[in-house]
Amino acid sequence: MASTLDITSAHKAFPALKPDHQVYFDNAGGSQVLGTVSTAIKNYLEETNVQLGASYDIAKQSTETFDKGMAAAASFMGAEVDEVVGVIPVIGPSTTQLFSNLSQILCLPPASELVISQIDHETNISPWLRLAKLQGHTVKWWKPDPGDETMMLTPQNLQPLLSEKTRLVTCTHTSNVLGGIHDIWRIADTVHTIPGAMLCVDGVALAPHRRINMKELDVDFYSFSWYKVYGPHIAVLYASPTAKARLGSLGHYFHAGDALSTKLGLAAASYELVAAIPSIVSYLPPEDEDKWEAIAKHEEELQDILLTHLRSRRDVKIYGHKTAERRKRVPVVSFSVEGRGAREVVEEVEKRSAFGLRWGHFYSKRLVDEVLGLGEVEGVVRVSLVHYNTVEEVR
């Protein structure tokens, strides 16, 4: 039986969560930050803010702190340290920047085929379209089955798109609009039936809600942003050893080596932000399965309250799974109200309450416009919850 989440302790960990304050229902756009994260950043800047790698004492401390941060990032993902590279706000504090960098150095054979999910955030679409255009590859669009209200990507609707020329398949672990959890291990297994084919996964919308492990998922590339996982504006990218061997480098010519930090890092891992990662991992230990299950159970209760209410209204349409089962979805819930624009609905809610939610396409514009057909009505209304939200807030 899953343990129960201690919501009081969870609230105490986040300084922004104050009584009679803003109620945060836009967490998929960026979560609140742990107090320990803020402290770690402050401590680094005030005590060890020097260049890495020097031989004097403070530089040694700074380097050790940075290395611990990178090791913590790897631990959180179930990866090896040299399979991970962090980026900073200066050159692109996001998965978007990482995938863009990756697309510039990914070596594919001539006339390859790329299978790209149509329901993804644009971060995992536009880099691959540019790559295909520049190198003359063929693009195939991967869509949910027609008439499937859950709008899930599956091995079954992927299989017809694969051929002996397939070299890259891209998809999201969880849609930042629909909330459904894709079976990435089975999708990876399907992709890898094609010799030389790789799978690139956007994990941004899943990482705040579920434990992730690269070895278990068997993916080739995987990225998410720490600012969605209670941390600072920084992102992380994983590449499997096999996939890493197929990468060129953006690094200086005199920086030899096979590490991702050399190939993709561009000296851009903000030291003070990396220093905060162990605080996140301490709060969400990857090995603490009971805590992750308690979070999933609590979030299931939250979204069940919300979805039950939305289902009871005849003028509301829910997009994606309409049930709250935690094995099927995370609490990212999008809907529309008959006869009212998404912006109108959100603004009316915010006039009457302290709830902060959002309307729009959330950079999954191809999904909203081409699959849902909502481009002319300002997209969807989205409520995105995390474990620090309470039953009282949702009710």
Side-chain angles (χ1 to χ4, degrees):
M1 183 175 179
S3 58
T4 301
L5 181 70
D6 185 345
I7 191 66
T8 301
S9 294
H11 258 235
K12 289 180 179 178
F14 296 88
L17 303 181
K18 303 171 184 176
D20 303 318
H21 194 52
Q22 182 78 65
V23 178
Y24 297 100
F25 282 180
D26 182 34
N27 296 287
S31 66
Q32 295 308 298
V33 176
L34 288 159
T36 52
V37 164
S38 302
T39 299
I41 295 171
K42 178 178 181 290
N43 288 346
Y44 182 91
L45 290 173
E46 292 184 354
E47 299 174 13
T48 58
N49 188 34
V50 298
Q51 186 56 267
L52 306 182
S55 56
Y56 55 91
D57 288 344
I58 293 298
K60 289 179 180 178
Q61 293 176 38
S62 180
T63 303
E64 181 180 0
T65 299
F66 179 85
D67 290 345
K68 286 180 178 178
M70 293 304 297
S75 170
F76 189 84
M77 302 178 81
E80 300 298 329
V81 174
D82 69 350
E83 294 172 324
V84 178
V85 53
V87 298
I88 63 167
V90 175
I91 64 165
S94 63
T95 295
T96 301
Q97 183 67 57
L98 283 169
F99 281 162
S100 182
N101 287 358
L102 178 63
S103 70
Q104 295 181 61
I105 61 171
L106 182 60
C107 302
L108 300 178
S112 292
E113 292 180 354
L114 283 61
V115 179
I116 300 176
S117 158
Q118 192 178 18
I119 70 169
D120 272 44
H121 188 291
E122 194 68 16
T123 193
N124 203 19
I125 296 178
S126 59
W128 313 119
L129 294 180
R130 289 197 300 270
L131 174 66
K133 183 177 180 179
L134 287 170
Q135 298 186 7
H137 303 309
T138 298
V139 170
K140 295 181 177 180
W141 289 102
W142 182 12
K143 309 174 186 179
D145 293 325
D148 177 13
E149 291 190 345
T150 66
M151 301 183 209
M152 296 295 290
L153 302 175
T154 67
Q156 290 73 29
N157 53 37
L158 170 63
Q159 187 68 58
L161 300 172
L162 301 177
S163 78
E164 61 181 13
K165 294 183 179 180
T166 303
R167 289 298 175 268
L168 183 69
V169 177
T170 71
C171 71
T172 182
H173 204 152
T174 293
S175 165
N176 72 326
V177 171
L178 304 173
I181 302 172
H182 292 121
D183 192 341
I184 294 299
W185 182 86
R186 289 184 61 225
I187 288 171
D189 191 50
T190 301
V191 170
H192 293 151
T193 62
I194 307 297
M198 297 177 289
L199 177 64
C200 179
V201 178
D202 174 357
V204 171
L206 182 89
H209 307 283
R210 298 291 188 274
R211 172 181 168 272
I212 55 175
N213 185 286
M214 300 301 100
K215 300 300 190 292
E216 293 176 4
L217 294 174
D218 195 27
V219 295
D220 298 286
F221 302 108
Y222 194 103
S223 185
F224 70 88
S225 299
W226 290 104
Y227 70 95
K228 309 293 179 77
V229 195
Y230 321 113
H233 219 300
I234 190 171
V236 67
L237 171 73
Y238 164 87
S240 71
T242 302
K244 186 171 63 175
R246 298 174 66 175
L247 299 178
S249 178
L250 293 175
H252 298 312
Y253 76 93
F254 51 84
H255 282 165
D258 194 43
L260 267 184
S261 55
T262 299
K263 293 174 177 286
L264 273 170
L266 299 176
S270 171
Y271 303 159
E272 66 271 19
L273 302 188
V274 172
I277 295 175
S279 300
I280 305 168
V281 179
S282 177
Y283 180 76
L284 291 174
E287 70 279 2
D288 191 347
E289 295 185 10
D290 286 344
K291 183 168 187 177
W292 284 103
E293 181 60 20
I295 286 173
K297 180 182 177 184
H298 175 68
E299 292 181 346
E300 181 180 59
E301 182 181 9
L302 296 179
Q303 65 182 347
D304 185 51
I305 296 168
L306 175 60
L307 288 165
T308 298
H309 171 70
L310 294 176
R311 288 197 307 267
S312 72
R313 296 190 50 150
R314 301 180 68 177
D315 60 343
V316 169
K317 181 173 183 179
I318 303 167
Y319 299 100
H321 285 287
K322 295 175 177 57
T323 61
E325 294 177 62
R326 59 186 181 269
R327 66 183 182 88
K328 292 183 177 180
R329 62 144 50 242
V330 300
V332 176
V333 178
S334 295
F335 61 93
S336 59
V337 179
E338 185 179 353
R340 305 187 71 177
R343 179 174 183 172
E344 178 189 359
V345 172
V346 169
E347 290 180 346
E348 187 64 29
V349 168
E350 292 176 345
K351 284 179 184 177
R352 301 182 182 187
S353 70
F355 298 152
L357 56 159
R358 291 290 291 273
W359 58 272
H361 56 71
F362 308 102
Y363 291 84
S364 293
K365 189 165 176 57
R366 298 172 199 269
L367 164 62
V368 171
D369 288 5
E370 300 168 17
V371 179
L372 303 183
L374 298 174
E376 299 300 319
V377 291
E378 300 171 321
V380 298
V381 178
R382 185 181 73 178
V383 176
S384 51
L385 311 170
V386 290
H387 73 281
Y388 55 59
N389 288 118
T390 67
V391 167
E392 291 73 24
E393 289 172 345
V394 179
R395 281 186 177 148

